[in-house]
Amino acid sequence: MAAALAPATGSVSDAAPVSDTAPVSDARSAAVAPGPLLGIPRQRGGPGAGALAAETGVHSTEAGARAAAAGPDATDAAVRPRPSWPWQPLRLLPTPVGTPFTFGFAVVLAVTSLFAEYADPGLVSGLLHGSSTDVVHLTQAPLPVLIASALWIAGGMTSGYAVAFLFVLTALERRIGARGAAAVFFGGHALATLATELPVAFSVAVGGLPESSLHRLDYGISFGVMTCIGAVAGLLPAWPGRLLLAVVGYLALTDLLAYADPLTDWGHLLSLALGVASWPLLRRWRTRRAAPAPLLGDLGHPALRGARTY
């Protein structure tokens, strides 16, 4: 009986060797293992995910071993997060990459200011009168004269509006982008100019002002800067924004009460009000700009068809 059972026992061990069937099962499991789906971007995993995780684990183990060998102080220093600086002084000034509109416009204003300072006075006077946004020029060529009048700084590069231009437009462009900052600046410049010059034209038409008022010299960046100050006050935190608005509003009101140039001073207050009136639009613009962009190909997924993007 033992001799009869011996071949059967040997046949069972030979018929099912573990080493022969293991590679087949591994190959089949690797063939059906879930992998990345084609056409769906940004998936976790992938062909090299396992190797990458293993490599990361090796590096983490080695780093932990080195930190443990160095002592507890080194381990705490490696784990302790680095302090982040919320306030960076260099971000207050324009840069070619971070704030291209403010930087390029500042270069243009610097060139025109140097030209006005050192060029022939007669030539400079002719250019300034040709760029003036008076009633005559606004009726003849409104768009060119509105653009040309914003290319000069009344008072030169040392004026307060020149300094405010650098800091205010840099802060505004970093929050709503170059196109938004340009729209706020030129929109406020144009609207405040028209709002101050149209009453002059009406007063001359009804006889309230002499015809010489149609040729008044009016140029500079002050209307656009005041509009940007009012706009950026709504994008700053509560206390800094309200403080900025209160200080600038007080200065503008003081100039108006001095009655040195009432038409321009009214334009400054109006420009500041235009910037404040743009707060809801600019906040929606900023939220839309900060929202993550939709992934390429996601809208083609059946579950996401018809979804709106902002």
Side-chain angles (χ1 to χ4, degrees):
M1 181 67 68
L5 293 176
T9 305
S11 63
V12 171
S13 61
D14 295 337
V18 177
S19 60
D20 292 342
T21 58
V24 177
S25 61
D26 291 343
R28 291 178 179 176
S29 61
V32 298
L37 301 178
L38 299 179
I40 306 299
R42 298 190 187 179
Q43 301 175 61
R44 296 182 179 180
L52 180 60
E55 184 180 357
T56 305
V58 171
H59 290 316
S60 301
T61 305
E62 294 177 354
R66 288 195 299 267
D73 295 337
T75 305
D76 294 341
V79 175
R80 189 184 304 116
R82 294 182 179 180
S84 59
W85 298 97
W87 183 70
Q88 300 179 6
L90 293 180
R91 289 180 61 84
L92 298 177
L93 296 175
T95 58
V97 178
T99 55
F101 168 72
T102 306
F103 184 86
F105 201 3
V107 171
V108 173
L109 292 174
V111 171
T112 57
S113 299
L114 292 175
F115 180 83
E117 182 71 21
Y118 297 105
D120 180 67
L123 176 61
V124 173
S125 178
L127 290 175
L128 291 179
H129 280 84
S131 303
S132 176
T133 51
D134 53 29
V135 176
V136 174
H137 287 129
L138 287 175
T139 56
Q140 294 175 352
L143 184 59
V145 77
L146 283 172
I147 296 176
S149 63
L151 302 181
W152 306 90
I153 303 177
M157 292 186 294
T158 58
S159 68
Y161 287 106
V163 178
F165 173 88
L166 288 178
F167 292 103
V168 172
L169 263 79
T170 299
L172 184 63
E173 185 173 355
R174 289 192 184 278
R175 285 161 175 80
I176 62 174
R179 290 184 297 177
V184 172
F185 179 87
F186 285 107
H189 171 74
L191 291 177
T193 299
L194 294 175
T196 53
E197 293 297 336
L198 290 179
V200 173
F202 178 78
S203 299
V204 171
V206 299
L209 289 175
E211 291 188 1
S212 59
S213 300
L214 301 176
H215 301 275
R216 62 185 300 268
L217 187 61
D218 187 13
Y219 67 92
I221 61 173
S222 59
F223 288 172
V225 171
M226 291 293 285
T227 306
C228 291
I229 291 176
V232 80
L235 300 177
L236 294 175
W239 281 109
R242 302 307 182 270
L243 180 61
L244 174 65
L245 190 62
V247 171
V248 176
Y250 172 78
L251 295 176
L253 186 60
T254 303
D255 292 340
L256 180 62
L257 294 178
Y259 213 73
D261 189 0
L263 195 63
T264 301
D265 295 333
W266 271 116
H268 290 161
L269 281 176
L270 178 61
S271 303
L272 190 64
L274 288 173
V276 173
S278 67
W279 285 0
L281 178 62
L282 295 181
R283 285 168 179 170
R284 288 197 298 268
W285 198 342
R286 183 185 184 183
T287 304
R288 183 181 304 179
R289 184 172 179 267
L295 300 178
L296 189 62
D298 281 356
L299 296 181
H301 195 276
L304 298 177
R305 287 175 182 170
R308 298 180 62 185
T309 58
Y310 297 94

